[in-house]
Amino acid sequence: MRAAPHPDNEKRIAALRSYGILDTPRESDFDDIVALAARICETPISVVNLIDNDRQWFKAEVGLNARETPLDTSICSHVILDDEFVEIPDTLTDPRMADNPLCRGNPGLRFYAGAQLITDTGLPLGTLCVLGNEPRELNDLQRETLKVLSRQVMNQLDLRRALHNEQILRAEMDHRIKNSLQATSSLVRLYTRAVKNDTAREALEAVHRRIDGMSALHDHLQRSNLQGSIGMSGYLEDLVASLRETTPENITVTLRVEDISLPFSFATDVGIILSEFVANTIKYGHPNGAEGTVDIVLDKSDDGTLILHATDNGLGSAAPPPEASRVSGIGNKIVAAAASNLGGTLTQNLTENGAQLTLMFEAH
C-alpha cells in the first residue's frame, strides 16, 4: 500500500529542498550515525531516509547498498504520517505493510523502528530508522538512542543549511561591497580629472589609492581559504595590478614576494605603505615622463623577521625638495602609523640612485 501524501506535503517538500541535501555524496557525519544506530539496536539495516515527492532517498545507510527506492514500497512514507517515533514489531501484521513486497520477500523486512526527522516548524523530512529480518522489539535504551540520534541528524542538517545560507549572504554582501568600491573609485577618478587645484587633486589621488588598496584586499579575501590571514603574494599582486592602472606608462613596477601569510590588518598596513611609495615615485622620482622602475620585494630572514624593501631608480636626492602641503604631510603620517601598527622599523632614504624604503617587522 502506497502512503497518502503528507497533509502539508507542499510545505514539507519545500522545507526538504531548502536543506540542499538531496543527491549529495555520502558524508562520514551521517554514516557514523547510522552505523552507531545499527550497532546499538542490533539490526542489520539502518538508514537516514528522506521522503521526496516520488522516492525515498538515503543520505546514509548500512545494509541496503542503495541510495534510493520508490515510494510505492516505502515504510517511512507511512511513518511520517504517524507519531514522532514508530516501532513495528512485525510488519506483516501491520495493514500498511502487509502487501509490501519488501516485507513479504525472503528474507523480508519484518521489523521496523523509526524516529522522525522533524524541522523546527514541525514538518517531518523523513526518518532515522532501523530494520531487521525477524520480528522483534527494541528495549527502552535502544528506543531512546534512536530518538537522540535522529535529533543529531537534524542538528547536522540545520548546521549544513545555516552554513549554506551564510555563504549565500556573504557572497551577496561581497558583490555589493565590490560594486560600491568600484563605483566610488570611478567617481573619485572623475573628480580628480575635473579638479584644477593641485592640492585638491593630490588629496583625491590619495583617496583613490586607499580605495583601490581596499578593493584589492577585498578581492583577495574573497578567494582566500586561510582563516584570519591572507597570502601576501596574491594580495600584493592584486594591489600592484590596481596601481599599474593609474601608473604612467614610463614607470614599470616589479614585485617579488615569498610564500608568506599575514593577518588581514597587517596586509592592509603593508598595502598602504607600498601605495604611498609608488605614488611618491610617480610624483617626485620621474618627472616629465622619464623612464623608471619601482622594485618591490617582501621576504623573510633566517630569524623569521619580515623585510619589505622598495626602491626606485628616480631622481632620489637630486630631486627638488617637495613643497610642504597638508596632503603630503598626512601621507607621511599615514605611512608612519601603518609601520607602527606592524610594530616594525621603517627606514626611508633618498640616494643618488633613487628612493629606498625598508620595513622590518615580525609576523605575529
Side-chain angles (χ1 to χ4, degrees), residues 228-256:
S229 61
I230 187 169
M232 291 302 292
S233 178
Y235 163 56
L236 292 182
E237 286 174 2
D238 288 349
L239 177 62
V240 168
S242 68
L243 292 174
R244 287 190 182 112
E245 292 180 4
T246 55
T247 299
E249 293 182 358
N250 58 295
I251 297 176
T252 302
V253 182
T254 67
L255 175 69
R256 181 173 64 81

Side-chain angles (χ1 to χ4, degrees), residues 49 51 56 74-81 97 112 126-127 129:
N49 190 347
I51 306 301
Q56 56 179 3
S74 169
I75 300 175
C76 292
S77 61
H78 291 278
V79 171
I80 65 169
L81 305 175
M97 289 91 196
Y112 175 94
T127 68
C129 62

Side-chain angles (χ1 to χ4, degrees), residues 52 78 81 83 102 105 109 168 180 200 220 233 235 246 269 273:
D52 201 0
H78 291 278
L81 305 175
D83 296 330
L102 296 182
L109 300 176
I168 293 175
S180 296
H220 198 71
S233 178
Y235 163 56
T246 55
D269 289 323
I273 293 170

Side-chain angles (χ1 to χ4, degrees), residues 5 15 43 49 79 115 164 225 227 260 264 276 288 292-293 308 328:
T43 58
N49 190 347
V79 171
H164 178 67
N225 293 320
Q227 298 297 316
I260 297 169
F264 296 155
E276 287 300 318
N288 305 319
T293 60
L308 174 67
S328 60

Side-chain angles (χ1 to χ4, degrees), residues 158-176:
D158 287 335
L159 178 60
R160 180 192 183 97
R161 184 171 64 175
L163 290 174
H164 178 67
N165 290 341
E166 182 182 348
Q167 289 170 352
I168 293 175
L169 179 60
R170 178 181 174 182
E172 177 62 22
M173 291 176 61
D174 284 342
H175 179 70
R176 294 187 181 188

Side-chain angles (χ1 to χ4, degrees), residues 198-200 202-203 283-284 322-333:
D198 289 341
T199 301
E202 186 177 351
K283 185 171 184 179
Y284 305 114
E323 295 182 9
S325 73
R326 187 175 181 181
V327 175
S328 60
I330 291 174
N332 291 333
K333 290 178 181 179

